[in-house]
Amino acid sequence: MSTRIRRGSATGKALILAALLTVAVPGGAYAKAVDVTVVTPGATMGPATPFTGVSSHADCTDGLVSGGGADQAIGSDEMSNGNHVLGMAPSADGATEYTEVPGTVGTDATHWMAFGGSGSRSSGAFSTTPYAICLRSNLIRHTQVVMNKAQGPSVGLSSKLVTATCPVGTVLIGGGARTTPADVGSLKPIASFPTFADAAHHFGSIAAGDGERDPDSWTAVGGIGGGRGADNMTYAYAICSTDGIDLKHVATTVRFTEVDGPNTASTGETATTGCSREDGRLVSGGAAISGGNVTTTDFGKATSGGPHLNGSFPSDAAGTPVGDGGADPSHWTAATHSGGSPSPGSYSDVWALCLDVKHGHKR
């Protein structure tokens, strides 16, 4: 298609100048293709009684949810051992969950839900704060949520891994994890991370490593301590673009960090990683408490039953959560806890997923 430009027209001159600038600066047409904002309503108190859960939600009024997280206040006494993340997942309306038939369960989600749970101990100091990552992009205008689920873990000191995979021809931009029910006090998600549906990553059992490009799947791992439950379920969510986008100009990069601990009883640990300017914009993140080496071997839980997540959220480089309205966050932090027993051999893992639509590549 051509555009006729009248000689001497001011509008014509402006169009020519804009065209020259676009040619002169490679990728210039995509310079503002991604904007990211953090939305959080603050803390929801609870759960204040044992073996219960609480939910809260953050809502994107501008843009679509590309990912999100949760941060929990646990207090400072021995009751802090009982609070854990129960889930972090996209939602159609901020109140209902995608839990029915696996597959593509929703489109253009604008809400994020965070769930907190209590074990045999609870406190009035417990609270859960949700964080939604709101994405605006002139290339990724629509999204779809893919859910997968599996029964379990149902046997004490075990785990259950489940992976959701984006359709071919789409881009993974985020994901989440959830376990139910809340009244099995030692049941909780212990991992939520980007991965690949390929043999090299054992089809989701090995997490994406630092610097890996274009993961297509999201894995959730449910863990359990001494409790049991025949109805226990673990859910994984992948947030994907729709098909038909120009993949030549879209690339994602994973950033990953693993740190030792927590190893002693009633202690916590944090791990933080982030996107560089060359990586693009942070659009989501993940977290785990594990037995280590999660990017080179199949995911393994810590040997103790108590280790759990207390947070997975957008942050600054020091691990401080980003406040409501924070624009273009660059880091992600995982907060982990050992529970009430020693947990030797535990590791804290964190992932950032970075989206670049300026210097993309052909897949």
Side-chain angles (χ1 to χ4, degrees), residues 8-24:
S9 165
T11 302
K13 292 178 180 178
L15 289 171
I16 292 172
L17 178 60
L20 288 173
L21 287 173
T22 300
V23 173

Side-chain angles (χ1 to χ4, degrees), residues 69-84:
D71 186 25
Q72 293 180 278
I74 61 176
S76 57
D77 59 18
E78 64 177 8
M79 296 303 180
S80 66
N81 295 323
N83 196 12
H84 51 263

Side-chain angles (χ1 to χ4, degrees), residues 240-266:
C240 320
S241 72
T242 51
D243 58 10
I245 67 171
D246 185 357
L247 295 180
K248 296 189 301 294
H249 296 289
V250 180
T252 57
T253 301
V254 174
R255 290 301 169 196
F256 168 76
T257 295
E258 182 173 80
V259 301
D260 187 17
N263 296 309
T264 58
S266 304

Side-chain angles (χ1 to χ4, degrees), residues 24-51:
V25 183
Y30 299 96
K32 292 296 292 180
V34 177
D35 284 305
V36 176
T37 304
V38 175
V39 173
T40 176
T44 295
M45 301 308 296
T49 55
F51 304 115

Side-chain angles (χ1 to χ4, degrees), residues 3 65 73 86 135 155 247 277 280 301 304 310 320 339 344:
T3 301
V65 163
L86 265 181
L135 171 71
V155 178
L247 295 180
R277 292 174 65 91
K301 70 182 293 296
S304 172
N310 281 137
T320 303

Side-chain angles (χ1 to χ4, degrees), residues 2 49 70 100 107 144 172 259 289:
S2 62
T49 55
E100 299 303 321
T107 57
Q144 55 186 312
L172 175 78
V259 301
I289 185 162

Side-chain angles (χ1 to χ4, degrees), residues 2-212:
S2 62
T3 301
R4 291 178 179 266
I5 302 174
R6 180 180 297 177
R7 183 175 299 175
S9 165
T11 302
K13 292 178 180 178
L15 289 171
I16 292 172
L17 178 60
L20 288 173
L21 287 173
T22 300
V23 173
V25 183
Y30 299 96
K32 292 296 292 180
V34 177
D35 284 305
V36 176
T37 304
V38 175
V39 173
T40 176
T44 295
M45 301 308 296
T49 55
F51 304 115
T52 59
V54 64
S55 67
S56 55
H57 59 94
D59 313 305
C60 297
T61 57
D62 185 14
L64 302 171
V65 163
S66 61
D71 186 25
Q72 293 180 278
I74 61 176
S76 57
D77 59 18
E78 64 177 8
M79 296 303 180
S80 66
N81 295 323
N83 196 12
H84 51 263
V85 169
L86 265 181
M88 302 165 286
S91 169
D93 55 12
T96 57
E97 301 182 58
Y98 300 117
T99 57
E100 299 303 321
V101 179
T104 299
V105 293
T107 57
D108 292 346
T110 59
H111 304 269
W112 186 264
M113 297 188 73
F115 303 84
S118 60
S120 60
R121 297 180 176 184
S122 60
S123 167
F126 289 175
S127 70
T128 297
T129 300
Y131 295 86
I133 306 298
C134 305
L135 171 71
R136 296 174 303 282
S137 169
N138 62 13
L139 283 180
I140 301 176
R141 299 177 183 272
H142 299 283
T143 59
Q144 55 186 312
V145 177
V146 178
M147 181 270 287
N148 197 9
K149 64 181 180 179
Q151 190 168 9
S154 302
V155 178
L157 300 178
S158 67
S159 61
K160 174 63 69 172
L161 184 146
V162 59
T163 300
T165 298
C166 291
V168 173
T170 68
V171 178
L172 175 78
I173 58 173
R178 174 82 161 111
T179 57
T180 60
D183 59 6
V184 179
S186 65
L187 174 67
K188 62 270 181 178
I190 55 174
S192 175
F193 55 78
T195 184
F196 298 80
D198 62 18
H201 295 80
H202 292 185
F203 300 96
S205 294
I206 298 175
D210 188 58
E212 287 201 272

